[in-house]
Amino acid sequence: MTAPTLRARLAKGEKIFAAWMGAAYPRMAEALGRAGFDAVIVDLQHGEASFGEARDAISAAHLAGTPTGVRVGLDGFGDAARLYDVGAEFAILPMINSVADARRLVDTLKYPPVGGRSWGGTRAISLFGAETEAYRGAANDQLIALAMIETRQAADALEDILDVPGLDGVFVGPSDLSISLSNGARLDHQLPESVEVINRVLAAAKARNKLTAIYCGNGEAAARNAELGFDIMGIGSDWAFLTAGAQAALKAARGHAGPAGPNY
């Protein structure tokens, strides 16, 4: 099985900087991959993509040689398994607040004997260029299942969640974490209570050899979190990248006429 390869890169200690994609336009995933991101994360919880658009985004990113992750919607366990079937290499499940939630995640996304995932990954097998038995035998180790830690309940149950067999790691959602920890008063990634929980997540996950991931609003935040020790950084959003690029081009156009030359 020549792919997926993201797990192997993480095993070597690589930091994965992943573009966050909310658009319902599959070719955006290819563009982000060709821009140099290590991975693309398609957001089905707060983004606009349907299952079919996410499926096509995974294929489009594959053209750029870029692995794709997905964040599914609330109670989207079955959607995550289907997106594995069409080629996603990692899945992020939101609002995992208890051991029971984490066990359901593993049961849905891992094949026996670890979980109870049912068979049907024909599109993934085609994308990865794998033999059927090679895919089936490698999937539990190669495909990454991440539980979002984004509430006070999840923080309170953190160590027990991490100890669930088959769970590959955790993904910190700093926005919802700050809202939950402040009882709805603040959305603040630097909320002291949130910073304390984030540091505890890192320490507890590393002690158990689990993967750590986090959402970052921009590249500077991603660099800081990589330095802290996170493995996967989801960065910004496709719309933010598009807006920033458009604003920069317009500012340059309006700021000066440019050098003399042909008008093209």
mmCIF file of all heavy atoms in Angstrom, residues 15-61:
data_model
loop_
_atom_site.group_PDB
_atom_site.id
_atom_site.type_symbol
_atom_site.label_atom_id
_atom_site.label_comp_id
_atom_site.label_asym_id
_atom_site.label_seq_id
_atom_site.Cartn_x
_atom_site.Cartn_y
_atom_site.Cartn_z
ATOM 1 N N LYS A 15 5.922 18.319 10.883
ATOM 2 C CA LYS A 15 4.791 19.157 11.238
ATOM 3 C C LYS A 15 3.910 19.313 10.005
ATOM 4 O O LYS A 15 4.405 19.596 8.907
ATOM 5 C CB LYS A 15 5.261 20.528 11.721
ATOM 6 C CG LYS A 15 6.163 20.476 12.949
ATOM 7 C CD LYS A 15 5.422 19.938 14.160
ATOM 8 C CE LYS A 15 6.317 19.962 15.396
ATOM 9 N NZ LYS A 15 5.625 19.438 16.595
ATOM 10 N N ILE A 16 2.616 19.121 10.185
ATOM 11 C CA ILE A 16 1.671 19.176 9.078
ATOM 12 C C ILE A 16 0.868 20.466 9.154
ATOM 13 O O ILE A 16 0.104 20.688 10.103
ATOM 14 C CB ILE A 16 0.732 17.951 9.096
ATOM 15 C CG1 ILE A 16 1.541 16.658 9.001
ATOM 16 C CG2 ILE A 16 -0.296 18.054 7.971
ATOM 17 C CD1 ILE A 16 2.374 16.507 7.743
ATOM 18 N N PHE A 17 1.067 21.332 8.167
ATOM 19 C CA PHE A 17 0.322 22.587 8.077
ATOM 20 C C PHE A 17 -0.787 22.390 7.035
ATOM 21 O O PHE A 17 -0.521 22.249 5.838
ATOM 22 C CB PHE A 17 1.252 23.735 7.700
ATOM 23 C CG PHE A 17 2.302 24.011 8.743
ATOM 24 C CD1 PHE A 17 3.613 23.613 8.556
ATOM 25 C CD2 PHE A 17 1.961 24.656 9.929
ATOM 26 C CE1 PHE A 17 4.574 23.854 9.523
ATOM 27 C CE2 PHE A 17 2.914 24.896 10.908
ATOM 28 C CZ PHE A 17 4.231 24.495 10.706
ATOM 29 N N ALA A 18 -2.010 22.370 7.521
ATOM 30 C CA ALA A 18 -3.161 22.005 6.690
ATOM 31 C C ALA A 18 -4.058 23.213 6.452
ATOM 32 O O ALA A 18 -4.387 23.951 7.386
ATOM 33 C CB ALA A 18 -3.966 20.898 7.373
ATOM 34 N N ALA A 19 -4.453 23.394 5.206
ATOM 35 C CA ALA A 19 -5.386 24.466 4.865
ATOM 36 C C ALA A 19 -6.797 24.075 5.281
ATOM 37 O O ALA A 19 -7.224 22.941 5.054
ATOM 38 C CB ALA A 19 -5.351 24.740 3.369
ATOM 39 N N TRP A 20 -7.517 25.016 5.869
ATOM 40 C CA TRP A 20 -8.900 24.796 6.282
ATOM 41 C C TRP A 20 -9.815 25.218 5.144
ATOM 42 O O TRP A 20 -9.742 26.346 4.666
ATOM 43 C CB TRP A 20 -9.202 25.601 7.537
ATOM 44 C CG TRP A 20 -10.381 25.093 8.287
ATOM 45 C CD1 TRP A 20 -11.673 25.519 8.175
ATOM 46 C CD2 TRP A 20 -10.374 24.074 9.296
ATOM 47 N NE1 TRP A 20 -12.479 24.825 9.038
ATOM 48 C CE2 TRP A 20 -11.697 23.926 9.744
ATOM 49 C CE3 TRP A 20 -9.387 23.264 9.861
ATOM 50 C CZ2 TRP A 20 -12.059 23.015 10.727
ATOM 51 C CZ3 TRP A 20 -9.740 22.365 10.831
ATOM 52 C CH2 TRP A 20 -11.065 22.247 11.256
ATOM 53 N N MET A 21 -10.682 24.320 4.711
ATOM 54 C CA MET A 21 -11.523 24.571 3.533
ATOM 55 C C MET A 21 -12.991 24.516 3.899
ATOM 56 O O MET A 21 -13.491 23.485 4.355
ATOM 57 C CB MET A 21 -11.208 23.538 2.444
ATOM 58 C CG MET A 21 -12.078 23.678 1.201
ATOM 59 S SD MET A 21 -11.644 22.456 -0.054
ATOM 60 C CE MET A 21 -13.176 22.445 -1.005
ATOM 61 N N GLY A 22 -13.678 25.624 3.689
ATOM 62 C CA GLY A 22 -15.110 25.678 3.968
ATOM 63 C C GLY A 22 -15.975 25.827 2.734
ATOM 64 O O GLY A 22 -17.197 25.747 2.813
ATOM 65 N N ALA A 23 -15.347 26.050 1.584
ATOM 66 C CA ALA A 23 -16.097 26.309 0.359
ATOM 67 C C ALA A 23 -16.694 25.032 -0.212
ATOM 68 O O ALA A 23 -16.167 23.938 -0.034
ATOM 69 C CB ALA A 23 -15.194 26.956 -0.690
ATOM 70 N N ALA A 24 -17.793 25.199 -0.924
ATOM 71 C CA ALA A 24 -18.442 24.070 -1.609
ATOM 72 C C ALA A 24 -17.949 24.014 -3.051
ATOM 73 O O ALA A 24 -18.734 23.895 -3.993
ATOM 74 C CB ALA A 24 -19.953 24.230 -1.551
ATOM 75 N N TYR A 25 -16.645 24.104 -3.232
ATOM 76 C CA TYR A 25 -16.049 24.117 -4.563
ATOM 77 C C TYR A 25 -14.862 23.168 -4.545
ATOM 78 O O TYR A 25 -13.771 23.516 -4.088
ATOM 79 C CB TYR A 25 -15.605 25.535 -4.930
ATOM 80 C CG TYR A 25 -15.006 25.659 -6.316
ATOM 81 C CD1 TYR A 25 -15.717 25.218 -7.436
ATOM 82 C CD2 TYR A 25 -13.746 26.211 -6.501
ATOM 83 C CE1 TYR A 25 -15.173 25.320 -8.701
ATOM 84 C CE2 TYR A 25 -13.197 26.320 -7.763
ATOM 85 C CZ TYR A 25 -13.917 25.875 -8.865
ATOM 86 O OH TYR A 25 -13.375 25.979 -10.119
ATOM 87 N N PRO A 26 -15.048 21.937 -5.027
ATOM 88 C CA PRO A 26 -14.022 20.914 -4.859
ATOM 89 C C PRO A 26 -12.642 21.281 -5.363
ATOM 90 O O PRO A 26 -11.633 20.905 -4.757
ATOM 91 C CB PRO A 26 -14.603 19.718 -5.615
ATOM 92 C CG PRO A 26 -16.089 19.895 -5.506
ATOM 93 C CD PRO A 26 -16.291 21.375 -5.617
ATOM 94 N N ARG A 27 -12.550 22.029 -6.454
ATOM 95 C CA ARG A 27 -11.224 22.340 -7.004
ATOM 96 C C ARG A 27 -10.423 23.248 -6.078
ATOM 97 O O ARG A 27 -9.200 23.371 -6.232
ATOM 98 C CB ARG A 27 -11.348 22.975 -8.386
ATOM 99 C CG ARG A 27 -11.568 21.965 -9.504
ATOM 100 C CD ARG A 27 -11.388 22.581 -10.865
ATOM 101 N NE ARG A 27 -10.048 23.089 -11.078
ATOM 102 C CZ ARG A 27 -9.712 23.886 -12.082
ATOM 103 N NH1 ARG A 27 -10.632 24.265 -12.968
ATOM 104 N NH2 ARG A 27 -8.472 24.318 -12.230
ATOM 105 N N MET A 28 -11.087 23.874 -5.108
ATOM 106 C CA MET A 28 -10.357 24.656 -4.116
ATOM 107 C C MET A 28 -9.342 23.780 -3.395
ATOM 108 O O MET A 28 -8.238 24.223 -3.054
ATOM 109 C CB MET A 28 -11.330 25.261 -3.116
ATOM 110 C CG MET A 28 -10.684 26.182 -2.092
ATOM 111 S SD MET A 28 -10.268 27.791 -2.768
ATOM 112 C CE MET A 28 -11.897 28.564 -2.751
ATOM 113 N N ALA A 29 -9.692 22.522 -3.161
ATOM 114 C CA ALA A 29 -8.780 21.615 -2.458
ATOM 115 C C ALA A 29 -7.512 21.390 -3.273
ATOM 116 O O ALA A 29 -6.409 21.348 -2.719
ATOM 117 C CB ALA A 29 -9.485 20.287 -2.179
ATOM 118 N N GLU A 30 -7.651 21.247 -4.582
ATOM 119 C CA GLU A 30 -6.475 21.083 -5.432
ATOM 120 C C GLU A 30 -5.617 22.343 -5.415
ATOM 121 O O GLU A 30 -4.380 22.277 -5.314
ATOM 122 C CB GLU A 30 -6.890 20.757 -6.861
ATOM 123 C CG GLU A 30 -5.701 20.545 -7.795
ATOM 124 C CD GLU A 30 -6.107 20.300 -9.247
ATOM 125 O OE1 GLU A 30 -7.310 20.130 -9.514
ATOM 126 O OE2 GLU A 30 -5.206 20.283 -10.104
ATOM 127 N N ALA A 31 -6.274 23.506 -5.500
ATOM 128 C CA ALA A 31 -5.528 24.767 -5.494
ATOM 129 C C ALA A 31 -4.744 24.929 -4.194
ATOM 130 O O ALA A 31 -3.583 25.354 -4.204
ATOM 131 C CB ALA A 31 -6.490 25.938 -5.683
ATOM 132 N N LEU A 32 -5.356 24.590 -3.078
ATOM 133 C CA LEU A 32 -4.674 24.715 -1.790
ATOM 134 C C LEU A 32 -3.516 23.730 -1.697
ATOM 135 O O LEU A 32 -2.453 24.054 -1.167
ATOM 136 C CB LEU A 32 -5.669 24.489 -0.652
ATOM 137 C CG LEU A 32 -6.735 25.578 -0.492
ATOM 138 C CD1 LEU A 32 -7.849 25.109 0.445
ATOM 139 C CD2 LEU A 32 -6.113 26.875 0.022
ATOM 140 N N GLY A 33 -3.717 22.535 -2.223
ATOM 141 C CA GLY A 33 -2.629 21.568 -2.234
ATOM 142 C C GLY A 33 -1.466 22.051 -3.088
ATOM 143 O O GLY A 33 -0.301 21.968 -2.686
ATOM 144 N N ARG A 34 -1.761 22.593 -4.240
ATOM 145 C CA ARG A 34 -0.698 23.067 -5.137
ATOM 146 C C ARG A 34 -0.037 24.331 -4.587
ATOM 147 O O ARG A 34 1.087 24.675 -4.990
ATOM 148 C CB ARG A 34 -1.238 23.295 -6.542
ATOM 149 C CG ARG A 34 -1.694 22.010 -7.218
ATOM 150 C CD ARG A 34 -1.921 22.164 -8.701
ATOM 151 N NE ARG A 34 -2.518 20.956 -9.282
ATOM 152 C CZ ARG A 34 -1.859 19.852 -9.578
ATOM 153 N NH1 ARG A 34 -0.559 19.793 -9.342
ATOM 154 N NH2 ARG A 34 -2.478 18.802 -10.104
ATOM 155 N N ALA A 35 -0.711 25.026 -3.684
ATOM 156 C CA ALA A 35 -0.098 26.197 -3.034
ATOM 157 C C ALA A 35 0.987 25.786 -2.050
ATOM 158 O O ALA A 35 1.775 26.625 -1.613
ATOM 159 C CB ALA A 35 -1.171 27.020 -2.325
ATOM 160 N N GLY A 36 1.032 24.493 -1.694
ATOM 161 C CA GLY A 36 2.106 24.016 -0.842
ATOM 162 C C GLY A 36 1.697 23.518 0.529
ATOM 163 O O GLY A 36 2.561 23.088 1.309
ATOM 164 N N PHE A 37 0.411 23.551 0.847
ATOM 165 C CA PHE A 37 -0.022 23.028 2.142
ATOM 166 C C PHE A 37 0.248 21.526 2.215
ATOM 167 O O PHE A 37 0.187 20.809 1.218
ATOM 168 C CB PHE A 37 -1.510 23.294 2.361
ATOM 169 C CG PHE A 37 -1.819 24.715 2.747
ATOM 170 C CD1 PHE A 37 -2.252 25.631 1.803
ATOM 171 C CD2 PHE A 37 -1.673 25.131 4.061
ATOM 172 C CE1 PHE A 37 -2.533 26.943 2.152
ATOM 173 C CE2 PHE A 37 -1.957 26.442 4.425
ATOM 174 C CZ PHE A 37 -2.380 27.353 3.469
ATOM 175 N N ASP A 38 0.530 21.054 3.416
ATOM 176 C CA ASP A 38 0.815 19.634 3.622
ATOM 177 C C ASP A 38 -0.437 18.775 3.568
ATOM 178 O O ASP A 38 -0.351 17.563 3.360
ATOM 179 C CB ASP A 38 1.481 19.425 4.989
ATOM 180 C CG ASP A 38 2.792 20.169 5.100
ATOM 181 O OD1 ASP A 38 3.660 19.970 4.231
ATOM 182 O OD2 ASP A 38 2.954 20.964 6.050
ATOM 183 N N ALA A 39 -1.587 19.382 3.804
ATOM 184 C CA ALA A 39 -2.860 18.666 3.786
ATOM 185 C C ALA A 39 -3.967 19.697 3.640
ATOM 186 O O ALA A 39 -3.752 20.904 3.803
ATOM 187 C CB ALA A 39 -3.056 17.859 5.070
ATOM 188 N N VAL A 40 -5.152 19.221 3.319
ATOM 189 C CA VAL A 40 -6.357 20.057 3.272
ATOM 190 C C VAL A 40 -7.388 19.428 4.193
ATOM 191 O O VAL A 40 -7.563 18.206 4.200
ATOM 192 C CB VAL A 40 -6.918 20.149 1.837
ATOM 193 C CG1 VAL A 40 -8.243 20.914 1.826
ATOM 194 C CG2 VAL A 40 -5.910 20.818 0.909
ATOM 195 N N ILE A 41 -8.048 20.264 4.988
ATOM 196 C CA ILE A 41 -9.129 19.799 5.859
ATOM 197 C C ILE A 41 -10.439 20.375 5.338
ATOM 198 O O ILE A 41 -10.612 21.598 5.289
ATOM 199 C CB ILE A 41 -8.907 20.233 7.322
ATOM 200 C CG1 ILE A 41 -7.606 19.627 7.866
ATOM 201 C CG2 ILE A 41 -10.097 19.810 8.186
ATOM 202 C CD1 ILE A 41 -7.199 20.169 9.228
ATOM 203 N N VAL A 42 -11.339 19.518 4.919
ATOM 204 C CA VAL A 42 -12.655 19.937 4.430
ATOM 205 C C VAL A 42 -13.610 19.954 5.618
ATOM 206 O O VAL A 42 -13.821 18.929 6.276
ATOM 207 C CB VAL A 42 -13.174 18.990 3.338
ATOM 208 C CG1 VAL A 42 -14.518 19.476 2.804
ATOM 209 C CG2 VAL A 42 -12.161 18.878 2.202
ATOM 210 N N ASP A 43 -14.192 21.114 5.872
ATOM 211 C CA ASP A 43 -15.051 21.296 7.042
ATOM 212 C C ASP A 43 -16.516 21.115 6.662
ATOM 213 O O ASP A 43 -17.095 21.946 5.964
ATOM 214 C CB ASP A 43 -14.828 22.692 7.623
ATOM 215 C CG ASP A 43 -15.619 22.935 8.901
ATOM 216 O OD1 ASP A 43 -16.218 21.969 9.435
ATOM 217 O OD2 ASP A 43 -15.645 24.082 9.376
ATOM 218 N N LEU A 44 -17.111 20.015 7.127
ATOM 219 C CA LEU A 44 -18.530 19.778 6.888
ATOM 220 C C LEU A 44 -19.391 20.186 8.081
ATOM 221 O O LEU A 44 -20.616 20.096 7.998
ATOM 222 C CB LEU A 44 -18.782 18.299 6.566
ATOM 223 C CG LEU A 44 -18.454 17.837 5.150
ATOM 224 C CD1 LEU A 44 -16.963 17.602 4.994
ATOM 225 C CD2 LEU A 44 -19.220 16.593 4.769
ATOM 226 N N GLN A 45 -18.761 20.624 9.166
ATOM 227 C CA GLN A 45 -19.554 21.062 10.319
ATOM 228 C C GLN A 45 -20.032 22.495 10.140
ATOM 229 O O GLN A 45 -21.215 22.786 10.251
ATOM 230 C CB GLN A 45 -18.745 20.944 11.614
ATOM 231 C CG GLN A 45 -19.568 21.336 12.849
ATOM 232 C CD GLN A 45 -18.771 21.343 14.135
ATOM 233 O OE1 GLN A 45 -17.543 21.296 14.129
ATOM 234 N NE2 GLN A 45 -19.459 21.429 15.257
ATOM 235 N N HIS A 46 -19.104 23.396 9.860
ATOM 236 C CA HIS A 46 -19.469 24.800 9.676
ATOM 237 C C HIS A 46 -19.218 25.293 8.257
ATOM 238 O O HIS A 46 -19.536 26.438 7.939
ATOM 239 C CB HIS A 46 -18.707 25.685 10.675
ATOM 240 C CG HIS A 46 -19.058 25.425 12.106
ATOM 241 N ND1 HIS A 46 -20.335 25.573 12.596
ATOM 242 C CD2 HIS A 46 -18.310 25.001 13.149
ATOM 243 C CE1 HIS A 46 -20.362 25.264 13.885
ATOM 244 N NE2 HIS A 46 -19.143 24.908 14.243
ATOM 245 N N GLY A 47 -18.640 24.453 7.403
ATOM 246 C CA GLY A 47 -18.439 24.817 6.016
ATOM 247 C C GLY A 47 -19.678 24.555 5.174
ATOM 248 O O GLY A 47 -20.726 24.140 5.685
ATOM 249 N N GLU A 48 -19.552 24.761 3.869
ATOM 250 C CA GLU A 48 -20.705 24.722 2.967
ATOM 251 C C GLU A 48 -20.790 23.440 2.135
ATOM 252 O O GLU A 48 -21.774 23.232 1.429
ATOM 253 C CB GLU A 48 -20.634 25.928 2.019
ATOM 254 C CG GLU A 48 -20.661 27.271 2.749
ATOM 255 C CD GLU A 48 -20.424 28.444 1.812
ATOM 256 O OE1 GLU A 48 -20.297 28.214 0.580
ATOM 257 O OE2 GLU A 48 -20.347 29.582 2.304
ATOM 258 N N ALA A 49 -19.773 22.590 2.207
ATOM 259 C CA ALA A 49 -19.718 21.439 1.308
ATOM 260 C C ALA A 49 -20.708 20.352 1.703
ATOM 261 O O ALA A 49 -20.920 20.078 2.894
ATOM 262 C CB ALA A 49 -18.309 20.855 1.285
ATOM 263 N N SER A 50 -21.298 19.729 0.699
ATOM 264 C CA SER A 50 -22.098 18.529 0.890
ATOM 265 C C SER A 50 -21.169 17.321 0.904
ATOM 266 O O SER A 50 -19.963 17.433 0.648
ATOM 267 C CB SER A 50 -23.084 18.380 -0.268
ATOM 268 O OG SER A 50 -22.375 18.170 -1.489
ATOM 269 N N PHE A 51 -21.738 16.138 1.149
ATOM 270 C CA PHE A 51 -20.916 14.934 1.094
ATOM 271 C C PHE A 51 -20.298 14.773 -0.292
ATOM 272 O O PHE A 51 -19.103 14.472 -0.423
ATOM 273 C CB PHE A 51 -21.740 13.691 1.436
ATOM 274 C CG PHE A 51 -20.950 12.416 1.300
ATOM 275 C CD1 PHE A 51 -20.198 11.937 2.352
ATOM 276 C CD2 PHE A 51 -20.937 11.717 0.090
ATOM 277 C CE1 PHE A 51 -19.437 10.783 2.212
ATOM 278 C CE2 PHE A 51 -20.185 10.565 -0.055
ATOM 279 C CZ PHE A 51 -19.432 10.095 1.012
ATOM 280 N N GLY A 52 -21.089 14.970 -1.338
ATOM 281 C CA GLY A 52 -20.585 14.798 -2.694
ATOM 282 C C GLY A 52 -19.479 15.786 -3.023
ATOM 283 O O GLY A 52 -18.494 15.434 -3.690
ATOM 284 N N GLU A 53 -19.628 17.024 -2.569
ATOM 285 C CA GLU A 53 -18.581 18.019 -2.824
ATOM 286 C C GLU A 53 -17.313 17.684 -2.044
ATOM 287 O O GLU A 53 -16.192 17.884 -2.549
ATOM 288 C CB GLU A 53 -19.115 19.404 -2.473
ATOM 289 C CG GLU A 53 -20.142 19.894 -3.493
ATOM 290 C CD GLU A 53 -21.086 20.953 -2.958
ATOM 291 O OE1 GLU A 53 -21.176 21.130 -1.717
ATOM 292 O OE2 GLU A 53 -21.764 21.602 -3.774
ATOM 293 N N ALA A 54 -17.477 17.176 -0.816
ATOM 294 C CA ALA A 54 -16.308 16.745 -0.046
ATOM 295 C C ALA A 54 -15.612 15.578 -0.731
ATOM 296 O O ALA A 54 -14.377 15.517 -0.812
ATOM 297 C CB ALA A 54 -16.725 16.370 1.372
ATOM 298 N N ARG A 55 -16.399 14.630 -1.238
ATOM 299 C CA ARG A 55 -15.831 13.497 -1.987
ATOM 300 C C ARG A 55 -14.997 13.986 -3.161
ATOM 301 O O ARG A 55 -13.859 13.522 -3.376
ATOM 302 C CB ARG A 55 -16.967 12.610 -2.484
ATOM 303 C CG ARG A 55 -16.549 11.483 -3.416
ATOM 304 C CD ARG A 55 -17.729 11.041 -4.273
ATOM 305 N NE ARG A 55 -18.194 12.124 -5.136
ATOM 306 C CZ ARG A 55 -19.468 12.299 -5.516
ATOM 307 N NH1 ARG A 55 -20.410 11.448 -5.134
ATOM 308 N NH2 ARG A 55 -19.800 13.319 -6.287
ATOM 309 N N ASP A 56 -15.525 14.937 -3.916
ATOM 310 C CA ASP A 56 -14.810 15.432 -5.085
ATOM 311 C C ASP A 56 -13.600 16.274 -4.679
ATOM 312 O O ASP A 56 -12.589 16.300 -5.397
ATOM 313 C CB ASP A 56 -15.753 16.245 -5.967
ATOM 314 C CG ASP A 56 -16.830 15.386 -6.612
ATOM 315 O OD1 ASP A 56 -16.692 14.141 -6.585
ATOM 316 O OD2 ASP A 56 -17.820 15.944 -7.113
ATOM 317 N N ALA A 57 -13.688 16.957 -3.545
ATOM 318 C CA ALA A 57 -12.534 17.716 -3.041
ATOM 319 C C ALA A 57 -11.393 16.777 -2.685
ATOM 320 O O ALA A 57 -10.215 17.081 -2.934
ATOM 321 C CB ALA A 57 -12.938 18.552 -1.836
ATOM 322 N N ILE A 58 -11.715 15.632 -2.102
ATOM 323 C CA ILE A 58 -10.693 14.638 -1.762
ATOM 324 C C ILE A 58 -9.980 14.168 -3.029
ATOM 325 O O ILE A 58 -8.749 14.073 -3.079
ATOM 326 C CB ILE A 58 -11.326 13.463 -1.001
ATOM 327 C CG1 ILE A 58 -11.773 13.922 0.393
ATOM 328 C CG2 ILE A 58 -10.366 12.289 -0.901
ATOM 329 C CD1 ILE A 58 -12.694 12.947 1.101
ATOM 330 N N SER A 59 -10.755 13.880 -4.079
ATOM 331 C CA SER A 59 -10.155 13.457 -5.345
ATOM 332 C C SER A 59 -9.326 14.575 -5.966
ATOM 333 O O SER A 59 -8.238 14.335 -6.510
ATOM 334 C CB SER A 59 -11.242 13.013 -6.324
ATOM 335 O OG SER A 59 -11.885 11.844 -5.874
ATOM 336 N N ALA A 60 -9.816 15.821 -5.878
ATOM 337 C CA ALA A 60 -9.087 16.945 -6.456
ATOM 338 C C ALA A 60 -7.769 17.175 -5.727
ATOM 339 O O ALA A 60 -6.731 17.427 -6.354
ATOM 340 C CB ALA A 60 -9.949 18.204 -6.406
ATOM 341 N N ALA A 61 -7.791 17.084 -4.408
ATOM 342 C CA ALA A 61 -6.551 17.234 -3.639
ATOM 343 C C ALA A 61 -5.568 16.127 -3.979
ATOM 344 O O ALA A 61 -4.353 16.342 -4.026
ATOM 345 C CB ALA A 61 -6.856 17.238 -2.146
#
